[in-house]
Amino acid sequence: MATEPETPEAALAAEPAVPSLVDRYFTRWYKADVKGKPCEDHCILQHSNRSLVDKNESCSAYAKQINLVTQTSKWRTTPSVGYYLKICVITLAGSHLVLQSGKAIKSIFYQISTNCSRLQNKVSGKFKRGAQFLTELAPLCKIYCSDGEEYTMSSCVRGWLMEVNESILHKPSILQEKPSTEGYTAVVLPKFEESKSITEGLLTQKQYEEVVVKSINATTATS
């Protein structure tokens, strides 16, 4: 018995999804329940070390589309090495309370304490002079919501603070609307000797999804 020809819609659905620019150039890692706070999950986008110039794509065109990693030349290793270090872009994970609960963000501050502001971070030269060094638990910014709740974004990886995203100060909503691109929080450059070990203690995409499912099931069971 002859089978019916596949419809164009079915054929299109069967095709593998085209990876986004983020997924093409970055590997997603996750830190769940940062500092023991449930559902305050972070996503760390680790650069894949692929050249940003791929086929007919220029570095500037890529930067324009993704709107992060706009100063890649600052983060290159010495010319003799000739490849990009695995820079990390810190963002909110999709399961973070700020993204899941429909909250309205009132303001965002990079002022961590009276004597420490991430906005004062000024990087210069190939030796990253002036860059603030961050530990895994170092706070990056504070998010204040209209319901009075406060959340802290942490680095999650050790390294030098290369850049903070001042755009979210002027338009906090992009942190929710485009958390993996225009709404990123900061860019961190790991030490060269630690670039292969910084993901220890982080979750892969699959592990993260399993954690989220367990959390949902646990919440459902107790409700």
Side-chain angles (χ1 to χ4, degrees), residues 57-131:
E57 292 183 76
S58 68
C59 182
S60 59
Y62 169 73
K64 183 177 180 181
Q65 292 179 65
I66 202 76
N67 200 28
L68 56 84
V69 193
T70 55
Q71 303 182 59
T72 309
S73 60
K74 285 187 177 182
W75 309 323
R76 299 186 78 168
T77 58
T78 56
S80 60
V81 176
Y83 63 86
Y84 293 97
L85 281 172
K86 291 193 174 184
I87 58 173
C88 295
V89 182
I90 314 303
T91 73
L92 288 174
S95 55
H96 195 285
L97 289 172
V98 170
L99 302 182
Q100 287 295 310
S101 57
K103 291 177 178 288
I105 298 177
K106 183 179 180 180
S107 58
I108 299 172
F109 289 95
Y110 282 108
Q111 187 77 37
I112 302 306
S113 65
T114 304
N115 300 318
C116 179
S117 172
R118 301 307 182 196
L119 293 176
Q120 295 174 346
N121 188 74
K122 304 296 181 183
V123 183
S124 64
K126 66 179 181 180
F127 296 108
K128 317 303 179 291
R129 287 186 293 271

Side-chain angles (χ1 to χ4, degrees), residues 20 41 49 59 91 105 121 143 187 217:
S20 67
D41 306 335
N49 273 4
C59 182
T91 73
I105 298 177
N121 188 74
I143 304 170
V187 177
N217 291 339

Side-chain angles (χ1 to χ4, degrees), residues 31 34-35 42 44 90 118 133-140 152-159 188 194 197-202:
K31 186 72 174 180
V34 175
K35 295 185 178 179
H42 294 19
I44 300 91
I90 314 303
R118 301 307 182 196
F133 189 78
L134 307 172
T135 62
E136 295 92 331
L137 297 178
L140 292 172
T152 300
M153 288 285 293
S154 299
S155 175
C156 296
V157 293
R158 283 169 51 86
V188 178
E194 296 179 2
S197 61
I198 57 169
T199 57
E200 294 177 1
L202 300 180

